[in-house]
Amino acid sequence: MERHAAMAAHHLFGLVDPRHYEPLSRREITPEYRDALTGLLPDTWSLERGDVWLQARRPAGPGPRTAPSPTQGFKIHVSSAPAHTFRLFELVVPVCVEHDVEFKAAADPVMLGLINSKTQERGFAGKFMTVYPPDEDVFVRLIETLYRRTADEPVEGPYILSDRRYRDSKVLFYRYGGFRPPRRLGVDGTQTTFLVAPDGTYVADERLPCFRLPSWVRDPFEEEPEPGPEQEQEREPGPEPEPDGTLLKDRYLVEGALTFSNAGGVYHGTDRVTGRQVVVKEARRLTNCTAIGGRTVDAVDMLRHEYDVLRRLDGLEFVPRPVDLFPEWEHTFLVEERVTGIAFHDFWARDDVILAPYLRRPGRVEGFVPLFREVAGRLVAMVEAVHARGVVLGDLSPNNVLVDPETRRMWFIDFESSVGEDDDPALLAYGTRWGTPGFLHPRRSSRDRLLPCDDWYAVAMLLYSSVAPTTAFFALNPVAQDLILDELVALGVPDRVRSVVACLAAADVAGAKAVLADWEEG
């Protein structure tokens, strides 16, 4: 499983209940999509809830198709931006009914947002509707009919990475996979679905971030030209690294991937004009959509926003220098200076540094104290410099701070959640909802904009996490924040650590700086 897929699972199972993991099938859905489908389906059809989907079932008994439904075959996927869902229902559902073909659709707008969110596993993301043709002949006729119905309509959706786009459609994709596939239970409790090969053997029904057919299946449209980079069937669109690299804008040589998400990858490479090492961040259109002030913004909008923030902070020695922002094919890329270091939490988790389990080990606290003082002082100075540029970071967490373990130089990275004091009020309000649990000011969600105190609280929790990485639990039990630190102080952590954390949590920056200055002199 991809690292981001694991993050997605953790995130999704916590959405239904803030204190307990629950499957999404337990979330009560809103009525918009159910009502729309009910108005388009004949009375003889039924709608059933299934996890994040609404399943449209044709009537049982005698009819045009009485044979059992197949367990696998070519399926048609319809993708959609949030603004186009109801129009696509009107275009697609009557065709499915006319051909007596069952389908499923996202259960409501929230579920569609989850399906297309940044942390969704790439091989599963992008689908708004799935149509299940009973055989290949129906599949070929049906997808062409849907193409003609939608070709001249102003509808579009995200590219479905696991599929092949049908002709030049912006909403129609297809792949070969299971309809009601056999499953096997693994020793870890997870279930794996399978396809059945012609010889009866089971083959894993993989949902990859690229289009791939089973070895025994031929694509009925393989003779047709494929527009765009998806001509190579077994790679996803965009700059998938190859042995000799991929060149963007005839300038930036992509040499490898740092991480992937459904909204786009993050790559490392070389600027061939300057010879410098760069990071290339990719944004895919119509993914990770959210409503801000009556309009929908997607991953591309947020990448452009991050570029604007980087330019506003340009010149600060702890902020990567922005290099370029450009579109290529249907993606947008941000190029920035590459900085090196390890994540903040990894810095404090090193064997010779980690504190909490080894407080009683001789010399451990004494070695920790100068590191804490230095890092705290640098963080305070860095945030003050950012605020002086009229920017609030918004999402300051251990993942967004890099530290060079040798020089202890630090950098801030990932500024898509940052806001400027003169930004649109809707964006300022949205910023209050975007952050990392455990590093969010307790009163942040009650306000209509981000404030500098939000960053200072995050700095306090960063420093707290250097002592004990327990900040994520404080939302469940706020009293634990003081109890744990008090106990650690009783075990030997200097009281000044508690004082610095307390001052910064209260946005008393002058008080925190005074404690650090006195500590240095002492």
Side-chain angles (χ1 to χ4, degrees):
M1 177 183 287
E2 298 175 5
R3 179 170 65 87
H4 281 280
M7 291 171 59
H10 172 86
H11 172 66
L12 294 177
F13 284 106
L15 285 177
V16 179
D17 187 286
R19 303 178 71 91
H20 308 283
Y21 281 165
E22 294 282 359
L24 284 173
S25 57
R26 297 206 172 204
R27 177 187 167 272
E28 185 175 351
I29 62 174
T30 56
E32 301 95 327
Y33 290 176
R34 181 183 288 276
D35 291 347
L37 290 170
T38 300
L40 292 167
L41 290 170
D43 293 340
T44 53
W45 282 59
S46 62
L47 276 177
E48 304 170 5
R49 168 77 185 275
D51 197 22
V52 301
W53 307 101
L54 289 173
Q55 310 268 357
R57 305 288 193 197
R58 55 187 172 83
R65 292 198 54 82
T66 58
S69 299
T71 60
Q72 63 191 46
F74 280 104
K75 56 177 82 173
I76 301 169
H77 286 130
V78 183
S79 72
S80 179
H84 302 154
T85 53
F86 295 103
R87 181 55 181 156
L88 281 167
F89 277 149
E90 295 170 350
L91 295 169
V92 174
V93 172
V95 176
C96 293
V97 171
E98 180 183 350
H99 288 78
D100 205 34
V101 173
E102 295 182 343
F103 65 90
K104 69 181 180 183
D108 66 12
V110 172
M111 295 300 194
L112 178 61
L114 294 175
I115 291 168
N116 289 330
S117 64
K118 183 175 183 177
T119 55
Q120 180 62 274
E121 188 174 355
R122 295 179 298 153
F124 288 80
K127 293 98 173 177
F128 166 56
M129 301 177 68
T130 303
V131 182
Y132 298 98
D135 56 50
E136 188 170 311
D137 289 339
V138 175
F139 160 66
V140 171
R141 292 197 305 271
L142 187 59
I143 198 168
E144 176 62 21
T145 301
L146 290 173
Y147 174 77
R148 293 176 181 174
R149 289 266 291 177
T150 57
D152 296 326
E153 291 279 341
V155 291
E156 59 179 338
Y159 194 104
I160 300 176
L161 296 174
S162 61
D163 291 22
R164 168 170 280 181
R165 172 179 278 164
Y166 183 67
R167 296 174 64 172
D168 60 351
S169 176
K170 298 297 185 183
V171 295
L172 295 176
F173 302 81
Y174 64 93
R175 69 179 289 264
Y176 191 96
F179 293 4
R180 297 176 180 85
R183 299 172 180 266
R184 284 180 177 170
L185 184 66
V187 293
D188 60 353
T190 60
Q191 290 191 344
T192 304
T193 58
F194 290 87
L195 302 175
V196 181
D199 61 2
T201 58
Y202 279 11
V203 178
D205 186 10
E206 297 180 298
R207 289 160 176 82
L208 303 171
C210 59
F211 179 73
R212 181 176 299 172
L213 291 174
S215 59
W216 68 89
V217 177
R218 184 190 69 86
D219 185 344
F221 307 114
E222 63 184 0
E223 298 300 324
E224 296 189 10
E226 289 290 329
E230 75 275 22
Q231 286 178 329
E232 298 176 36
Q233 293 188 17
E234 297 194 2
R235 59 174 286 249
E236 66 175 277
E240 183 72 13
E242 298 174 357
D244 56 348
T246 299
L247 194 63
L248 294 173
K249 203 180 177 182
D250 293 325
R251 173 175 176 177
Y252 305 106
L253 184 65
V254 175
E255 297 164 327
L258 297 173
T259 186
F260 288 108
S261 78
N262 182 46
V266 180
Y267 309 93
H268 65 86
T270 302
D271 181 350
R272 299 211 306 186
V273 171
T274 65
R276 293 176 178 171
Q277 294 296 298
V278 294
V279 167
V280 182
K281 301 183 74 171
E282 171 190 37
R284 300 177 55 232
R285 294 187 66 249
L286 303 176
T287 59
N288 209 40
C289 294
T290 189
I292 298 180
R295 65 187 181 94
T296 298
V297 300
D298 64 6
V300 173
D301 295 314
M302 297 313 297
L303 192 69
R304 290 173 177 154
H305 172 72
E306 181 171 7
Y307 180 64
D308 291 340
V309 173
L310 284 172
R311 288 195 299 171
R312 188 164 183 164
L313 300 177
D314 194 15
L316 296 180
E317 63 178 8
F318 51 84
V319 174
R321 184 178 60 86
V323 177
D324 206 349
L325 180 77
F326 61 92
E328 186 149 320
W329 191 55
E330 297 179 6
H331 301 174
T332 299
F333 298 92
L334 164 62
V335 183
E336 61 186 52
E337 170 192 18
R338 185 176 185 184
V339 297
T340 58
I342 60 176
F344 190 84
H345 46 61
D346 292 334
F347 176 80
W348 295 104
R350 292 176 299 157
D351 290 340
D352 59 336
V353 174
I354 188 169
L355 181 66
Y358 308 115
L359 271 171
R360 294 184 176 89
R361 182 171 293 181
R364 182 59 57 142
V365 172
E366 290 76 9
F368 171 83
V369 166
L371 279 178
F372 180 90
R373 284 201 313 253
E374 181 178 356
V375 168
R378 290 194 180 193
L379 279 175
V380 168
M382 290 161 66
V383 173
E384 284 185 318
V386 169
H387 289 177
R389 297 282 183 99
V391 172
V392 177
L393 292 166
D395 187 16
L396 187 54
S397 73
N399 290 322
N400 294 338
V401 180
L402 297 184
V403 186
D404 185 322
E406 300 299 325
T407 66
R408 296 194 281 279
R409 182 180 177 184
M410 294 191 293
W411 293 267
F412 291 151
I413 60 171
D414 292 341
F415 295 87
E416 59 185 348
S417 58
S418 302
V419 296
E421 58 190 2
D422 54 353
D423 275 338
D424 181 271
L427 182 61
L428 293 173
Y430 175 69
T432 64
R433 313 198 308 266
W434 186 346
T436 302
F439 300 86
L440 304 177
H441 194 290
R443 292 188 295 277
R444 175 170 168 162
S445 61
S446 65
R447 292 190 258 100
D448 63 357
R449 63 181 296 152
L450 284 172
L451 297 174
C453 65
D454 294 310
D455 284 350
W456 293 121
Y457 182 85
V459 173
M461 293 303 101
L462 277 171
L463 295 173
Y464 195 121
S465 71
S466 71
V467 182
T470 56
T471 60
F473 298 110
F474 298 158
L476 297 175
N477 184 9
V479 176
Q481 182 171 326
D482 291 331
L483 291 178
I484 293 174
L485 197 52
D486 289 347
E487 185 66 22
L488 290 169
V489 169
L491 290 171
V493 172
D495 186 63
R496 283 166 168 163
V497 169
R498 178 169 53 191
S499 298
V500 170
V501 169
C503 286
L504 291 173
D508 179 9
V509 184
K513 291 169 73 173
V515 172
L516 289 170
D518 179 68
W519 201 354
E520 285 281 356
E521 293 174 2

